Amino acid sequence: MFKRELLFQLILHIVVFIFFAFNWFDQAFLVDRAWFFLMYALATIFVSYYLMPTLLYTKKYLWFFVSICLVLAVLILLEEKILEPLLYPNTKRANTFPGLFYTLFGILPVMTILTSGKFAWDAIQQQDKIKELQSTITESELQFLRSQVNPHFLFNNLNNLYSYALEGSSKTPEIILEMSGVLRYMLYESKERFVPLNKELEQLTNFIKLYKLQIEERGEVSFTVGNGMTGQKIAPLILIVFIENAFKHSQSGQSSNIKIAIDVNLKGSTLFFSCVNNFEAVKGLDSVASGIGLANVKKRLQLLYPNKHILKITEQHKEFRVDLQIELETD
């Protein structure tokens, strides 16, 4: 970073020096103006690397203004009392003071350009730091949201597993096996920000099998996947929340005639996902559109796919429907 700033300042100083000290009519550099530029440049370094960080950026504006005035006063004294007598001995310019505004007219343009370059560089670096910080915060928030998925999934399924174990169901070992597979994916294979779409859909299939074991003969579950699901990437554990929500709330209010339809299609790079389930309203049960799972996934979609997704959730006539469109990443 230091090398980049040094190169930037070097180029800026060379450009300003050329315009300030080069005589375009004679096609030659003016030695006297080179000395003036050196003095202005040294003063600018003091302003840029000491006064700006210690006073301007700490919002000590009055002290910064006073310090700038002192720097200009010192420059004028050095120019009028030392530099000009050395460069123009026994001349009117060396022996007279042309005036404050005339002198400032020679100093301020050079210093303004050079300090503006430093200010612009600092502003760019600060913006980069803000973006990096925002990225870090976003990633931390995503990790936190994803960490909530595993306990949420485990809590729901352990309750169901407990019921099957009490009944001595022969499906208990199969449920444990399916749960271990899904948990293995959640814990170890879905750590990346994005995973292959076909791999995520494979896990959705296993997840649906797990929940279908719980429904048994009490209803119908359909899972339709279109063609061409290769070469795209998706954030892991996004779709699974909607499916889990459908199974949970279909079973919570009814013991039979459960209907769940899940459809996944791809058009270009846009994923179209729909999940529809019926339900019976139960007194004291929260709305199917509420809960940790859905609030979690909505937040993750906002963080991962800003302006790249459309989520529509409708609840009417004892039917709950989720329609989601996502612009996917590609390999």
Side-chain angles (χ1 to χ4, degrees):
M1 187 65 67
F2 173 75
K3 290 182 179 179
R4 289 174 58 191
E5 182 177 1
L6 182 61
L7 180 61
F8 169 77
Q9 289 290 353
L10 183 61
I11 293 173
L12 177 62
H13 279 68
I14 289 173
V15 171
V16 177
F17 172 73
I18 291 173
F19 279 93
F20 181 78
F22 189 74
N23 189 319
W24 298 96
F25 294 102
D26 297 333
Q27 295 294 302
F29 284 100
L30 302 176
V31 177
D32 57 337
R33 294 185 70 83
W35 281 105
F36 287 129
F37 179 83
L38 177 61
M39 185 174 64
Y40 302 159
L42 290 174
T44 302
I45 291 173
F46 175 73
V47 171
S48 298
Y49 290 92
Y50 181 74
L51 295 183
M52 287 172 60
T54 58
L55 298 179
L56 180 62
Y57 296 160
T58 57
K59 298 183 179 180
K60 298 175 182 177
Y61 302 122
L62 179 59
W63 284 109
F64 179 73
F65 176 76
V66 171
S67 299
I68 291 294
C69 291
L70 290 175
V71 169
L72 292 175
V74 171
L75 281 177
I76 293 173
L77 287 174
L78 289 174
E79 182 174 326
E80 296 297 327
K81 298 299 182 179
I82 297 177
L83 200 56
E84 286 191 358
L86 289 174
L87 294 174
Y88 315 109
N90 302 319
T91 63
K92 182 180 179 181
R93 181 169 181 178
N95 298 321
T96 59
F97 180 58
L100 179 63
F101 292 105
Y102 181 85
T103 306
L104 287 176
F105 184 75
I107 298 173
L108 286 180
V110 175
M111 291 193 64
T112 300
I113 294 172
L114 296 179
T115 52
S116 296
K118 172 59 176 172
F119 185 81
W121 177 269
D122 289 345
I124 293 172
Q125 300 310 307
Q126 189 66 23
Q127 190 64 32
D128 289 342
K129 288 180 181 179
I130 291 172
K131 288 181 180 179
E132 184 179 350
L133 181 61
Q134 288 175 337
S135 177
T136 302
I137 293 172
T138 299
E139 189 61 35
S140 298
E141 189 169 1
L142 284 171
Q143 292 296 334
F144 172 72
L145 291 172
R146 283 179 58 185
S147 70
Q148 291 181 318
V149 175
N150 296 337
H152 190 257
F153 164 81
L154 194 59
F155 175 77
N156 289 334
N157 282 277
L158 281 177
N159 283 336
N160 295 324
L161 182 61
Y162 177 72
S163 300
Y164 276 91
L166 286 179
E167 295 171 2
S169 172
S170 60
K171 292 186 177 182
T172 303
E174 188 176 356
I175 292 174
I176 294 174
L177 184 63
E178 293 291 344
M179 276 186 65
S180 66
V182 175
L183 278 174
R184 186 183 303 109
Y185 176 74
M186 286 182 168
L187 292 173
Y188 303 112
E189 300 179 34
S190 62
K191 291 183 178 180
E192 299 295 328
R193 191 178 180 90
F194 298 99
V195 298
L197 177 60
N198 55 352
K199 194 170 186 178
E200 183 74 6
L201 292 176
E202 181 183 336
Q203 294 307 313
L204 284 185
T205 302
N206 296 334
F207 182 83
I208 291 169
K209 286 180 182 178
L210 174 63
Y211 269 96
K212 285 176 72 174
L213 288 172
Q214 300 172 21
I215 289 181
E216 297 178 325
E217 305 300 324
R218 294 182 293 149
E220 299 178 358
V221 178
S222 65
F223 180 43
T224 306
V225 179
N227 298 322
M229 301 291 179
T230 57
Q232 295 80 26
K233 287 190 173 184
I234 188 172
L237 311 178
I238 288 286
L239 305 180
I240 197 172
V241 176
F242 298 115
I243 297 172
E244 181 184 22
N245 188 74
F247 278 98
K248 175 185 174 182
H249 288 282
S250 282
Q251 296 178 81
S252 62
Q254 57 195 76
S255 58
S256 61
N257 197 32
I258 296 172
K259 292 182 180 180
I260 300 174
I262 305 158
D263 185 74
V264 183
N265 279 294
L266 191 67
K267 294 182 181 179
S269 61
T270 304
L271 181 77
F272 293 85
F273 169 83
S274 68
C275 182
V276 184
N277 67 276
N278 64 343
F279 69 95
E280 288 290 339
V282 177
K283 187 177 181 180
L285 185 68
D286 291 337
S287 168
V288 291
S290 65
I292 296 174
L294 288 181
N296 181 307
V297 77
K298 288 177 183 178
K299 183 64 175 177
R300 291 184 65 206
L301 283 168
Q302 291 171 3
L303 292 171
L304 289 164
Y305 298 101
N307 303 317
K308 291 185 178 181
H309 78 279
I310 300 174
L311 175 62
K312 184 179 180 182
I313 298 177
T314 55
E315 179 183 342
Q316 58 183 359
H317 306 302
K318 298 182 180 181
E319 180 182 271
F320 185 74
R321 182 182 184 94
V322 174
D323 290 288
L324 175 64
Q325 298 179 32
I326 305 178
E327 289 293 328
L328 297 182
E329 302 286 331
T330 56
D331 291 334

